[in-house]
Structures are given as structure tokens and as C-alpha cells.
mmCIF file of all heavy atoms in Angstrom:
data_model
loop_
_atom_site.group_PDB
_atom_site.id
_atom_site.type_symbol
_atom_site.label_atom_id
_atom_site.label_comp_id
_atom_site.label_asym_id
_atom_site.label_seq_id
_atom_site.Cartn_x
_atom_site.Cartn_y
_atom_site.Cartn_z
ATOM 1 N N ALA Q 21 -112.094 -87.669 17.224
ATOM 2 C CA ALA Q 21 -111.013 -87.377 16.405
ATOM 3 C C ALA Q 21 -109.705 -87.887 16.811
ATOM 4 O O ALA Q 21 -109.283 -87.499 18.012
ATOM 5 C CB ALA Q 21 -110.810 -85.856 16.060
ATOM 6 N N ALA Q 22 -109.108 -88.790 15.978
ATOM 7 C CA ALA Q 22 -107.808 -89.405 16.601
ATOM 8 C C ALA Q 22 -106.593 -88.963 15.825
ATOM 9 O O ALA Q 22 -106.748 -88.445 14.660
ATOM 10 C CB ALA Q 22 -107.993 -90.889 16.243
ATOM 11 N N SER Q 23 -105.477 -89.086 16.524
ATOM 12 C CA SER Q 23 -104.109 -88.667 15.877
ATOM 13 C C SER Q 23 -103.008 -89.288 16.605
ATOM 14 O O SER Q 23 -103.236 -89.809 17.699
ATOM 15 C CB SER Q 23 -103.962 -87.121 15.837
ATOM 16 O OG SER Q 23 -104.064 -86.653 17.155
ATOM 17 N N GLY Q 24 -101.880 -89.341 15.867
ATOM 18 C CA GLY Q 24 -100.684 -89.936 16.607
ATOM 19 C C GLY Q 24 -100.546 -91.442 16.282
ATOM 20 O O GLY Q 24 -99.507 -92.142 17.017
ATOM 21 N N PHE Q 25 -101.447 -92.074 15.607
ATOM 22 C CA PHE Q 25 -101.366 -93.448 15.212
ATOM 23 C C PHE Q 25 -101.999 -93.785 13.941
ATOM 24 O O PHE Q 25 -102.688 -92.952 13.498
ATOM 25 C CB PHE Q 25 -101.823 -94.327 16.380
ATOM 26 C CG PHE Q 25 -103.297 -94.171 16.609
ATOM 27 C CD1 PHE Q 25 -104.254 -95.150 16.192
ATOM 28 C CD2 PHE Q 25 -103.794 -93.140 17.330
ATOM 29 C CE1 PHE Q 25 -105.515 -94.989 16.528
ATOM 30 C CE2 PHE Q 25 -105.168 -92.928 17.631
ATOM 31 C CZ PHE Q 25 -106.098 -93.923 17.109
ATOM 32 N N THR Q 26 -101.888 -95.036 13.467
ATOM 33 C CA THR Q 26 -102.423 -95.360 12.216
ATOM 34 C C THR Q 26 -103.845 -95.789 12.520
ATOM 35 O O THR Q 26 -104.089 -96.956 12.704
ATOM 36 C CB THR Q 26 -101.592 -96.583 11.443
ATOM 37 O OG1 THR Q 26 -100.163 -96.093 11.423
ATOM 38 C CG2 THR Q 26 -102.211 -96.796 10.110
ATOM 39 N N PHE Q 27 -104.722 -94.834 12.272
ATOM 40 C CA PHE Q 27 -106.250 -95.021 12.700
ATOM 41 C C PHE Q 27 -106.724 -96.270 11.970
ATOM 42 O O PHE Q 27 -107.385 -97.056 12.683
ATOM 43 C CB PHE Q 27 -106.938 -93.717 12.438
ATOM 44 C CG PHE Q 27 -108.423 -93.793 12.787
ATOM 45 C CD1 PHE Q 27 -108.844 -93.568 14.054
ATOM 46 C CD2 PHE Q 27 -109.331 -94.019 11.699
ATOM 47 C CE1 PHE Q 27 -110.232 -93.617 14.364
ATOM 48 C CE2 PHE Q 27 -110.657 -94.104 12.145
ATOM 49 C CZ PHE Q 27 -111.086 -93.856 13.412
ATOM 50 N N SER Q 28 -106.510 -96.412 10.771
ATOM 51 C CA SER Q 28 -107.248 -97.438 9.942
ATOM 52 C C SER Q 28 -106.865 -98.776 10.460
ATOM 53 O O SER Q 28 -107.580 -99.866 10.215
ATOM 54 C CB SER Q 28 -106.988 -97.139 8.545
ATOM 55 O OG SER Q 28 -105.580 -97.332 8.328
ATOM 56 N N ASN Q 29 -105.720 -98.877 11.144
ATOM 57 C CA ASN Q 29 -105.173 -100.275 11.611
ATOM 58 C C ASN Q 29 -105.910 -100.784 13.004
ATOM 59 O O ASN Q 29 -105.758 -101.802 13.431
ATOM 60 C CB ASN Q 29 -103.866 -100.339 11.775
ATOM 61 C CG ASN Q 29 -103.088 -100.391 10.400
ATOM 62 O OD1 ASN Q 29 -103.750 -100.502 9.355
ATOM 63 N ND2 ASN Q 29 -101.864 -100.320 10.354
ATOM 64 N N ASN Q 30 -106.606 -99.711 13.668
ATOM 65 C CA ASN Q 30 -106.950 -99.876 14.984
ATOM 66 C C ASN Q 30 -108.480 -100.233 15.197
ATOM 67 O O ASN Q 30 -109.236 -99.351 14.633
ATOM 68 C CB ASN Q 30 -106.483 -98.751 15.928
ATOM 69 C CG ASN Q 30 -105.077 -99.021 16.412
ATOM 70 O OD1 ASN Q 30 -104.144 -99.286 15.707
ATOM 71 N ND2 ASN Q 30 -104.889 -98.760 17.766
ATOM 72 N N SER Q 31 -108.853 -101.000 16.073
ATOM 73 C CA SER Q 31 -110.129 -101.029 16.700
ATOM 74 C C SER Q 31 -110.363 -99.832 17.474
ATOM 75 O O SER Q 31 -109.494 -99.396 18.161
ATOM 76 C CB SER Q 31 -110.452 -102.293 17.472
ATOM 77 O OG SER Q 31 -110.247 -103.441 16.722
ATOM 78 N N MET Q 32 -111.629 -99.400 17.512
ATOM 79 C CA MET Q 32 -111.944 -98.215 18.353
ATOM 80 C C MET Q 32 -113.138 -98.541 19.129
ATOM 81 O O MET Q 32 -113.967 -99.318 18.763
ATOM 82 C CB MET Q 32 -112.178 -96.902 17.434
ATOM 83 C CG MET Q 32 -111.066 -96.593 16.457
ATOM 84 S SD MET Q 32 -109.660 -96.022 17.433
ATOM 85 C CE MET Q 32 -110.410 -94.553 18.337
ATOM 86 N N SER Q 33 -113.282 -97.952 20.310
ATOM 87 C CA SER Q 33 -114.300 -98.194 21.210
ATOM 88 C C SER Q 33 -114.895 -96.955 21.921
ATOM 89 O O SER Q 33 -114.225 -95.998 22.057
ATOM 90 C CB SER Q 33 -113.982 -99.204 22.321
ATOM 91 O OG SER Q 33 -113.557 -100.438 21.887
ATOM 92 N N TRP Q 34 -116.199 -97.038 22.278
ATOM 93 C CA TRP Q 34 -116.771 -95.992 22.997
ATOM 94 C C TRP Q 34 -117.189 -96.592 24.437
ATOM 95 O O TRP Q 34 -117.654 -97.752 24.529
ATOM 96 C CB TRP Q 34 -118.122 -95.479 22.521
ATOM 97 C CG TRP Q 34 -117.765 -94.496 21.328
ATOM 98 C CD1 TRP Q 34 -117.906 -94.800 19.940
ATOM 99 C CD2 TRP Q 34 -117.653 -93.150 21.464
ATOM 100 N NE1 TRP Q 34 -117.563 -93.556 19.225
ATOM 101 C CE2 TRP Q 34 -117.511 -92.718 20.267
ATOM 102 C CE3 TRP Q 34 -117.387 -92.179 22.598
ATOM 103 C CZ2 TRP Q 34 -117.170 -91.321 19.898
ATOM 104 C CZ3 TRP Q 34 -117.177 -90.985 22.246
ATOM 105 C CH2 TRP Q 34 -117.045 -90.525 20.898
ATOM 106 N N TYR Q 35 -116.833 -95.988 25.478
ATOM 107 C CA TYR Q 35 -117.108 -96.407 26.919
ATOM 108 C C TYR Q 35 -118.097 -95.214 27.546
ATOM 109 O O TYR Q 35 -117.962 -94.153 26.995
ATOM 110 C CB TYR Q 35 -115.777 -96.580 27.722
ATOM 111 C CG TYR Q 35 -115.168 -97.812 27.367
ATOM 112 C CD1 TYR Q 35 -114.344 -97.963 26.267
ATOM 113 C CD2 TYR Q 35 -115.128 -98.939 28.280
ATOM 114 C CE1 TYR Q 35 -113.575 -99.252 26.042
ATOM 115 C CE2 TYR Q 35 -114.454 -100.140 28.054
ATOM 116 C CZ TYR Q 35 -113.551 -100.186 26.921
ATOM 117 O OH TYR Q 35 -112.866 -101.405 26.745
ATOM 118 N N ARG Q 36 -118.492 -95.631 28.622
ATOM 119 C CA ARG Q 36 -119.228 -94.450 29.394
ATOM 120 C C ARG Q 36 -119.080 -94.849 30.825
ATOM 121 O O ARG Q 36 -118.948 -96.015 31.232
ATOM 122 C CB ARG Q 36 -120.707 -94.446 28.908
ATOM 123 C CG ARG Q 36 -121.594 -95.480 29.230
ATOM 124 C CD ARG Q 36 -122.990 -95.377 28.895
ATOM 125 N NE ARG Q 36 -123.819 -96.523 29.122
ATOM 126 C CZ ARG Q 36 -125.064 -96.762 28.641
ATOM 127 N NH1 ARG Q 36 -125.533 -95.764 27.748
ATOM 128 N NH2 ARG Q 36 -125.947 -97.651 28.970
ATOM 129 N N GLN Q 37 -119.291 -93.693 31.642
ATOM 130 C CA GLN Q 37 -119.160 -93.893 33.068
ATOM 131 C C GLN Q 37 -120.158 -93.037 33.727
ATOM 132 O O GLN Q 37 -120.056 -91.713 33.609
ATOM 133 C CB GLN Q 37 -117.822 -93.510 33.620
ATOM 134 C CG GLN Q 37 -117.581 -93.814 34.976
ATOM 135 C CD GLN Q 37 -116.127 -93.855 35.548
ATOM 136 O OE1 GLN Q 37 -115.368 -93.356 34.829
ATOM 137 N NE2 GLN Q 37 -115.938 -94.537 36.601
ATOM 138 N N ALA Q 38 -121.174 -93.601 34.388
ATOM 139 C CA ALA Q 38 -122.263 -92.812 35.040
ATOM 140 C C ALA Q 38 -121.680 -92.451 36.503
ATOM 141 O O ALA Q 38 -120.885 -93.170 37.049
ATOM 142 C CB ALA Q 38 -123.484 -93.592 35.080
ATOM 143 N N PRO Q 39 -122.266 -91.470 37.147
ATOM 144 C CA PRO Q 39 -121.822 -91.119 38.566
ATOM 145 C C PRO Q 39 -122.002 -92.379 39.408
ATOM 146 O O PRO Q 39 -123.116 -92.994 39.525
ATOM 147 C CB PRO Q 39 -122.765 -90.097 38.920
ATOM 148 C CG PRO Q 39 -122.996 -89.370 37.570
ATOM 149 C CD PRO Q 39 -123.101 -90.479 36.631
ATOM 150 N N GLY Q 40 -121.046 -92.728 40.216
ATOM 151 C CA GLY Q 40 -120.964 -93.823 41.105
ATOM 152 C C GLY Q 40 -120.982 -95.176 40.559
ATOM 153 O O GLY Q 40 -121.159 -96.207 41.266
ATOM 154 N N LYS Q 41 -120.752 -95.244 39.166
ATOM 155 C CA LYS Q 41 -120.615 -96.615 38.639
ATOM 156 C C LYS Q 41 -119.368 -96.685 37.920
ATOM 157 O O LYS Q 41 -118.631 -95.776 37.638
ATOM 158 C CB LYS Q 41 -121.740 -96.684 37.555
ATOM 159 C CG LYS Q 41 -123.245 -96.592 38.237
ATOM 160 C CD LYS Q 41 -124.241 -97.049 37.160
ATOM 161 C CE LYS Q 41 -125.674 -97.164 37.789
ATOM 162 N NZ LYS Q 41 -126.694 -97.417 36.749
ATOM 163 N N GLN Q 42 -119.093 -98.026 37.545
ATOM 164 C CA GLN Q 42 -117.862 -98.314 36.875
ATOM 165 C C GLN Q 42 -117.922 -97.950 35.293
ATOM 166 O O GLN Q 42 -118.978 -97.946 34.868
ATOM 167 C CB GLN Q 42 -117.437 -99.851 36.970
ATOM 168 C CG GLN Q 42 -116.963 -100.143 38.348
ATOM 169 C CD GLN Q 42 -116.435 -101.552 38.478
ATOM 170 O OE1 GLN Q 42 -116.835 -102.435 37.597
ATOM 171 N NE2 GLN Q 42 -115.540 -101.852 39.318
ATOM 172 N N ARG Q 43 -116.872 -97.705 34.725
ATOM 173 C CA ARG Q 43 -116.867 -97.463 33.301
ATOM 174 C C ARG Q 43 -117.229 -98.689 32.653
ATOM 175 O O ARG Q 43 -116.793 -99.803 32.930
ATOM 176 C CB ARG Q 43 -115.378 -96.955 32.965
ATOM 177 C CG ARG Q 43 -115.295 -96.421 31.439
ATOM 178 C CD ARG Q 43 -114.059 -95.849 31.186
ATOM 179 N NE ARG Q 43 -113.686 -94.638 32.101
ATOM 180 C CZ ARG Q 43 -112.803 -93.803 31.983
ATOM 181 N NH1 ARG Q 43 -111.826 -93.999 30.944
ATOM 182 N NH2 ARG Q 43 -112.587 -92.789 32.744
ATOM 183 N N GLU Q 44 -118.061 -98.546 31.548
ATOM 184 C CA GLU Q 44 -118.517 -99.830 30.816
ATOM 185 C C GLU Q 44 -118.435 -99.629 29.340
ATOM 186 O O GLU Q 44 -118.519 -98.511 28.872
ATOM 187 C CB GLU Q 44 -120.092 -100.030 31.105
ATOM 188 C CG GLU Q 44 -120.974 -98.941 30.743
ATOM 189 C CD GLU Q 44 -122.510 -99.375 30.903
ATOM 190 O OE1 GLU Q 44 -122.678 -100.596 31.245
ATOM 191 O OE2 GLU Q 44 -123.299 -98.523 30.761
ATOM 192 N N LEU Q 45 -118.174 -100.754 28.657
ATOM 193 C CA LEU Q 45 -118.009 -100.674 27.098
ATOM 194 C C LEU Q 45 -119.418 -100.491 26.624
ATOM 195 O O LEU Q 45 -120.340 -101.307 26.962
ATOM 196 C CB LEU Q 45 -117.344 -101.954 26.759
ATOM 197 C CG LEU Q 45 -117.272 -102.094 25.223
ATOM 198 C CD1 LEU Q 45 -116.404 -100.977 24.719
ATOM 199 C CD2 LEU Q 45 -116.801 -103.619 25.000
ATOM 200 N N VAL Q 46 -119.525 -99.590 25.673
ATOM 201 C CA VAL Q 46 -120.773 -99.258 24.904
ATOM 202 C C VAL Q 46 -120.866 -99.846 23.526
ATOM 203 O O VAL Q 46 -121.763 -100.614 23.314
ATOM 204 C CB VAL Q 46 -121.015 -97.685 25.007
ATOM 205 C CG1 VAL Q 46 -122.368 -97.488 24.057
ATOM 206 C CG2 VAL Q 46 -121.135 -97.177 26.331
ATOM 207 N N ALA Q 47 -119.743 -99.642 22.885
ATOM 208 C CA ALA Q 47 -119.723 -100.145 21.426
ATOM 209 C C ALA Q 47 -118.271 -100.188 21.004
ATOM 210 O O ALA Q 47 -117.466 -99.382 21.502
ATOM 211 C CB ALA Q 47 -120.569 -99.216 20.666
ATOM 212 N N SER Q 48 -118.055 -101.039 20.051
ATOM 213 C CA SER Q 48 -116.748 -101.224 19.482
ATOM 214 C C SER Q 48 -116.843 -101.480 18.057
ATOM 215 O O SER Q 48 -117.841 -101.954 17.510
ATOM 216 C CB SER Q 48 -115.950 -102.176 20.247
ATOM 217 O OG SER Q 48 -116.375 -103.459 20.004
ATOM 218 N N ILE Q 49 -115.698 -100.944 17.264
ATOM 219 C CA ILE Q 49 -115.753 -101.259 15.833
ATOM 220 C C ILE Q 49 -114.322 -101.660 15.448
ATOM 221 O O ILE Q 49 -113.312 -100.945 15.914
ATOM 222 C CB ILE Q 49 -116.176 -100.060 15.138
ATOM 223 C CG1 ILE Q 49 -116.207 -100.376 13.627
ATOM 224 C CG2 ILE Q 49 -115.303 -98.830 15.373
ATOM 225 C CD1 ILE Q 49 -117.060 -99.322 12.734
ATOM 226 N N THR Q 50 -114.166 -102.713 14.744
ATOM 227 C CA THR Q 50 -112.790 -103.235 14.305
ATOM 228 C C THR Q 50 -112.281 -102.480 13.168
ATOM 229 O O THR Q 50 -112.982 -101.662 12.527
ATOM 230 C CB THR Q 50 -112.803 -104.722 14.026
ATOM 231 O OG1 THR Q 50 -113.511 -104.852 12.840
ATOM 232 C CG2 THR Q 50 -113.426 -105.552 15.140
#
């Protein structure tokens, strides 16, 4: 859930970080 900006204008992304690993991009939507 997003707030504080014009959500419809922004691309959004999901990242994940496993123990001992770098954060990685999972998916994005424009």
C-alpha cells in the first residue's frame, strides 16, 4: 500500500533479499 505520492504516475517494483545475498529485482510494473 502506497501513500504520499501520485501512485498512478510511478513505476513500482518488488525486490527480495535472501540471507547472505544482495537485494535483487524480482518484478516491476510501469
Side-chain angles (χ1 to χ4, degrees):
S23 62
F25 63 101
T26 306
F27 179 81
S28 59
N29 288 352
N30 272 48
S31 294
M32 301 295 299
S33 300
W34 285 97
Y35 285 76
R36 68 185 180 187
Q37 187 166 19
K41 294 188 176 181
Q42 289 191 332
R43 192 171 296 190
E44 63 173 350
L45 178 63
V46 175
S48 60
I49 185 166
T50 68

